[in-house]
């Protein structure tokens, strides 16, 4: 094993000029080291400013096939792109300083473009639950509605107040729309959710 040591023999130099030269070199090295430490310390003087910003996911459609039975069932399951890298970048927040994600509201609309059958509304279900899941994360309830308003093709769900940062820091999340069906349907339709999410993160400012 190699042992490093400081050679104090430089101060025992008999030639005064050589001794001054060696002392100057040592002081130069020490000064350079102190300068580097000072610069590093200055770079570490950072100010973290917390900001809150929102994003609305509203362009995803969830197809629902013909439903021939009644009871509790999953109407539609689909992956959506969180777009989180761009959202954070647009707001000046790095992924290392992404702190919280809360879904503030979900409005659900039915899109029924049939010309052959009578258009549907949400009367065929009595209640609904929405679950979220992500890679390595468990399925979690995020919203529900019981009862569903009658004779309507859109409604707003009641939210669960939970931090979902460990879900939204992934590239995709999976949403599952589960419902209690009280009457069968005779044709397909689409569910269109409008999901408002509130994010919190820190902007790093170097002093």
């Amino acid at each position: 094993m190699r042992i490093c040591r400081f050679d104090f023999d430089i101060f025992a130099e008999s030639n005064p000029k050589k001794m001054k030269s060696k002392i100057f070199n040592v002081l130069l090295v020490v000064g350079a080291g102190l300068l580097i430490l000072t610069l590093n310390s200055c770079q570490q003087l950072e100010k973290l400013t917390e900001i809150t910003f929102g994003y609305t996911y509203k362009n995803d459609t969830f197809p629902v096939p013909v439903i021939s039975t009644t009871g509790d069932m999953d109407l539609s399951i689909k992956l959506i792109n969180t777009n989180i890298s761009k959202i954070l970048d647009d707001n000046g927040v790095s992924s290392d300083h992404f702190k919280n994600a809360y879904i503030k509201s979900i409005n659900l609309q039915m899109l029924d473009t049939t010309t052959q059958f009578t258009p549907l509304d949400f009367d065929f279900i009595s209640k609904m639950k929405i679950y979220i899941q992500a890679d390595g994360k468990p399925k979690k309830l995020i919203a529900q509605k019981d009862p569903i308003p009658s004779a309507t093709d859109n409604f707003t769900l009641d939210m669960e107040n939970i931090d979902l940062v460990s879900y939204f820091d992934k590239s995709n999340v999976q949403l599952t729309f589960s419902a209690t069906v009280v009457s069968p349907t005779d044709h397909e339709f689409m569910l269109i959710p409008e999901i408002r999410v509130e994010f919190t993160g820190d902007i790093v400012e170097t002093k």
Side-chain angles (χ1 to χ4, degrees):
M1 180 177 66
R2 182 177 180 182
I3 300 175
C4 296
R5 65 184 182 84
F6 190 87
D7 188 3
F8 287 92
D9 289 339
I10 60 171
F11 298 107
E13 176 64 55
S14 58
N15 189 319
K17 290 185 178 181
K18 289 184 178 181
M19 182 175 70
K20 289 181 179 179
S21 176
K22 289 184 178 181
I23 292 175
F24 176 79
N25 289 337
V26 171
L27 294 175
L28 187 63
V29 171
V30 172
L34 291 173
L35 179 61
I36 292 173
L37 288 174
T38 301
L39 290 174
N40 287 338
S41 298
C42 291
Q43 291 175 352
Q44 292 172 0
L45 292 177
E46 297 177 340
K47 178 185 177 182
L48 298 179
T49 301
E50 184 177 281
I51 64 168
T52 298
F53 48 99
Y55 187 83
T56 301
Y57 299 87
K58 57 183 179 181
N59 296 319
D60 290 283
T61 57
F62 290 71
V64 180
V66 173
I67 302 170
S68 58
T69 61
T70 59
D72 295 333
M73 64 186 71
D74 294 337
L75 299 182
S76 187
I77 302 173
K78 186 179 176 181
L79 284 176
I80 65 171
N81 183 357
T82 62
N83 202 29
I84 194 61
S85 295
K86 186 176 188 307
I87 295 171
L88 294 178
D89 187 62
D90 287 348
N91 289 276
V93 176
S94 69
S95 58
D96 293 337
H97 293 91
F98 179 28
K99 297 168 66 176
N100 306 106
Y102 287 89
I103 299 180
K104 306 303 288 185
S105 66
I106 299 179
N107 180 265
L108 191 60
Q109 180 179 354
M110 176 186 290
L111 176 62
D112 186 355
T113 59
T114 183
T115 56
Q116 183 178 359
F117 301 95
T118 302
L120 292 168
D121 57 27
F122 281 110
D123 280 353
F124 77 97
I125 60 176
S126 61
K127 57 185 176 182
M128 174 173 283
K129 294 181 178 181
I130 302 178
Y131 297 88
I132 192 171
Q133 197 168 356
D135 186 27
K137 305 301 295 182
K139 188 175 180 180
K140 184 173 290 190
L141 177 68
I142 57 172
Q144 56 186 316
K145 192 69 173 181
D146 182 13
I148 302 293
S150 61
T152 184
D153 63 358
N154 73 88
F155 61 91
T156 299
L157 290 95
D158 301 320
M159 304 306 306
E160 303 291 319
N161 188 33
I162 50 177
D163 188 359
L164 297 169
V165 66
S166 61
Y167 290 76
F168 279 93
D169 66 359
K170 307 290 192 299
S171 299
N172 299 284
V173 294
Q174 177 179 283
L175 295 184
T176 300
F177 292 80
S178 299
T180 299
V181 178
V182 295
S183 61
T185 62
D186 54 13
H187 60 279
E188 298 180 353
F189 62 91
M190 295 284 185
L191 294 177
I192 306 176
E194 183 173 296
I195 306 169
R196 179 67 178 173
V197 186
E198 187 176 274
F199 301 109
T200 302
D202 289 328
I203 294 178
V204 181
E205 299 174 339
T206 303
K207 290 184 177 181

